[in-house]
Amino acid sequence: MYLKEGFPGQRLQVMPQPLVRVVLSRPVTSRLVVTDCGVFPRAIAHRRSRPQGSRQAIVILCTEGSGWCRVGGDDTIHPIGAGQVLVIEPGVPHEYGSNPDAPWTIWWMHVAGSDVPELLDAMRVSPTRPVLRVRDVYRSTALIDEALTRMETDESVPTLLAAAGAAWHLLAMLAADQVDSPQREDPIRQALAYLQERIGTRTSVAELASLAGLSPSHFAALFTQATGHGVLAYQNSLKMSRARDLLDTTGLAVSDVARAIGYTDALYFSRQFHKHHGASPTAYRKQAKG
């Protein structure tokens, strides 16, 4: 049995078709627009079939597990694994789905606009080559997350432009990945940048390891060797550093500082802050500095 929607933890934004037509008719938004965007964690029994293709280009980044696709109407099955991206051109028949033995986690978007054909050409994507390598999976995931987060706010022109900016960056980066092939960047350095961009969220060792294409134990050992800390301790240090910055440079209430760095419970945040700094957030803010 295949499920069409409804995966625990999913996030999903779909622009109404009448609005898509309006947006594509406006000069400022006609070059690139994200029409649909989402993340499906461990998408068990996920499958899509579009015999007539899609009006938009489809980009699906697999960060965990695996899946498969058929593109262009033939019977060739292309496997898709963690660290790879499936790109399907508009109007091309296709079918794709999650591996039942290792359900994929995918970050995805649909894009349209006058810039899309050239970006796809630069990727050298085709029905016989729909699956591409991704050099920086962390950054690619963060860009889709940025577009999705923007779309979750509203449908204003500034929001659409911000989402389009993230999408353009992603597509250009994927195109650059296909042009040259220097040695892969240090996965720990990529992980550190990924965590620094997502201070307000909690990221597991398993997720980081999957993005890096390493086993959790191997990744954890490399991470500790490089930083002197475990992943959780490093994330906590980032959160506390950001909290200090907000307490020193803004007038935000302690509860707002807590939310900004991913704590829903201000009291728990205060206890953690005191544990790290020997003072409560309020007392810390009153301390003379400089």
Side-chain angles (χ1 to χ4, degrees), residues 2 18 21 41 49 57 75 79 86 108 144 156 166 179-180 207 209 254 273:
Y2 287 94
R21 290 192 289 271
S49 177
D75 292 330
L86 167 63
W108 55 270
I144 299 177
S156 65
V179 172
D180 53 19
E207 181 181 348
V254 171
F273 190 91

Side-chain angles (χ1 to χ4, degrees), residues 236 239-241 243-244 247 254 257-258 261 263 265-285 287:
N236 286 338
K239 289 177 182 291
M240 292 301 118
S241 177
R244 292 194 303 271
L247 290 167
V254 171
V257 172
I261 63 171
Y263 287 94
D265 185 336
L267 182 59
Y268 179 72
F269 160 68
S270 295
R271 289 199 298 267
Q272 292 297 307
F273 190 91
H274 190 282
K275 179 179 177 181
H276 279 78
H277 301 93
S280 69
T282 301
Y284 171 85
R285 179 173 258 165
Q287 291 175 358

